[in-house]
Amino acid sequence: MLNIRNICSLANNNAALIAIRSISTTASCRDSESWFSKLLVRKIEPTKESHSRMLSDKEIIYALHTHNVRPDSMGAYLNNYKNTVGLINDKKSGLSCNLVASWTVQVGDMDQCLHLWKYTGGFEKIDQAKEDLWNDPEYLKLMNERSKFLRSRHLQYLLAFSYWPQIESREGKNIYEMRSYRLTPGTMIEWGNNWARAINFRKHNNEAFAGFFSQIGRLYNVHHIWCYKSLQDRKETREAAWRSPGWDECVAYTVPLIREMHCRVLAPTEFSPSQ
């Protein structure tokens, strides 16, 4: 039978137990908070400037053409596109555009080719080039011929991140990796803020080739393009980045911004300016 003394003793013991559990829970929460804090996206401050104006030079536009080719027509397709590049180069002085690189996909979306063009002078020059080419009978003939070799195609207009190194054509035998990200709308500035720091950890072996975000086409898309001598070189270079203090933190802050991502390993075409 419980008396007043036993009840008081039991109450004191329960209070002590609750206090211990409270301390333990608080400590556990603090540990969890310190771990989860690395995964939380920091607050994005409102801005009256457009993302493109803050992150890039709007007078230089890049066009990324993605062509999905019929498996039995790759050779004919590449010959056709080579002739198209030659035609545009002959008209180059009036078009204000030039081919930066052309690739075939080696790992990822097979039977796919990517062509990266640069327009200097903003969208006005793109409008002028389109008007000129679509009134050129030889260009239209090549376009009609190419349609027989394609399953589908997609075009994006891109801007280059201002913090990314300037694009430089590569020589010799190289492979490229294009890592493409679909971001949560409204997070482009946060992505740029983090990668402006993160790019400093990826200067090993001159791997950074180009970094873009989309303006027209699939929106909130980011493309990072890296250059390596081989898959083994890629492995060693990426492992070196993970050994750099601070790289893991940059990754932790950017991962929550991503809705979808994929990568493709690319090989330059015969007529690509950047090899």
Side-chain angles (χ1 to χ4, degrees):
M1 181 174 179
L2 291 176
N3 54 34
I4 296 298
R5 180 177 298 178
N6 290 337
I7 292 173
C8 290
S9 176
L10 183 60
N12 289 335
N13 289 339
N14 285 341
L17 182 59
I18 291 171
I20 292 171
R21 285 177 177 172
S22 176
I23 294 171
S24 177
T25 302
T26 301
S28 177
C29 287
R30 286 174 180 170
D31 291 342
S32 297
E33 286 172 3
S34 65
W35 186 83
F36 278 114
S37 64
K38 291 186 177 181
L39 298 179
L40 297 177
V41 180
R42 287 170 288 183
K43 182 180 178 182
I44 303 171
E45 296 297 332
T47 175
K48 295 182 179 180
E49 293 283 348
S50 67
H51 293 177
S52 56
R53 186 176 295 278
M54 296 179 68
L55 295 171
S56 184
D57 177 2
K58 294 185 69 173
E59 292 305 304
I60 300 178
I61 311 292
Y62 292 87
L64 178 63
H65 294 262
T66 301
H67 291 172
N68 294 304
V69 184
R70 291 167 55 95
D72 60 352
S73 302
M74 184 61 76
Y77 164 83
L78 289 173
N79 186 63
N80 172 282
Y81 206 88
K82 179 180 178 180
N83 292 335
T84 303
V85 172
L87 183 150
I88 293 176
N89 285 340
D90 290 342
K91 299 166 67 69
K92 192 173 183 179
S93 59
L95 296 180
S96 299
C97 72
N98 62 281
L99 182 66
V100 176
S102 284
W103 301 283
T104 59
V105 175
Q106 302 296 298
V107 181
D109 301 316
M110 304 299 290
D111 303 312
Q112 187 177 84
C113 293
L114 305 175
H115 309 288
L116 182 65
W117 292 84
K118 176 182 178 182
Y119 291 84
T120 303
F123 283 106
E124 179 183 359
K125 295 301 182 181
I126 292 179
D127 290 334
Q128 291 177 4
K130 184 182 296 185
E131 181 71 20
D132 193 339
L133 291 173
W134 280 92
N135 286 291
D136 186 305
E138 188 177 353
Y139 178 80
L140 293 178
K141 180 180 177 181
L142 288 167
M143 284 280 289
N144 289 333
E145 180 185 64
R146 191 185 312 145
S147 66
K148 302 174 185 177
F149 310 137
L150 296 176
R151 294 179 288 116
S152 64
R153 55 185 179 151
H154 180 257
L155 170 62
Q156 272 186 316
Y157 288 122
L158 312 169
L159 295 177
F161 285 113
S162 57
Y163 56 80
W164 205 273
Q166 291 293 315
I167 297 176
E168 297 180 356
S169 293
R170 306 299 175 91
E171 298 180 352
K173 187 177 181 181
N174 298 295
I175 62 170
Y176 294 77
E177 179 182 16
M178 177 179 286
R179 297 178 73 87
S180 300
Y181 307 86
R182 183 167 65 92
L183 304 185
T184 300
T187 61
M188 190 64 72
I189 295 296
E190 183 71 3
W191 180 273
N193 287 341
N194 278 288
W195 266 98
R197 296 182 299 115
I199 195 66
N200 294 316
F201 299 105
R202 297 298 298 272
K203 292 183 176 180
H204 305 282
N205 210 18
N206 195 27
E207 62 175 322
F209 180 74
F212 303 109
F213 61 98
S214 59
Q215 274 284 284
I216 301 178
R218 296 189 182 103
L219 298 180
Y220 282 95
N221 271 197
V222 169
H223 303 289
H224 291 173
I225 306 176
W226 311 93
C227 182
Y228 306 103
K229 291 299 180 184
S230 64
L231 289 175
Q232 179 63 26
D233 178 47
R234 170 189 176 275
K235 174 181 178 293
E236 293 172 358
T237 303
R238 287 175 56 80
E239 288 177 351
W242 279 103
R243 290 193 294 269
S244 299
W247 169 250
D248 58 339
E249 181 179 340
C250 290
V251 172
Y253 281 128
T254 55
V255 165
L257 309 178
I258 301 170
R259 285 188 168 187
E260 183 183 4
M261 61 183 291
H262 73 287
C263 78
R264 287 163 286 187
V265 174
L266 316 171
T269 62
E270 170 198 346
F271 52 85
S272 175
S274 186
Q275 293 291 312

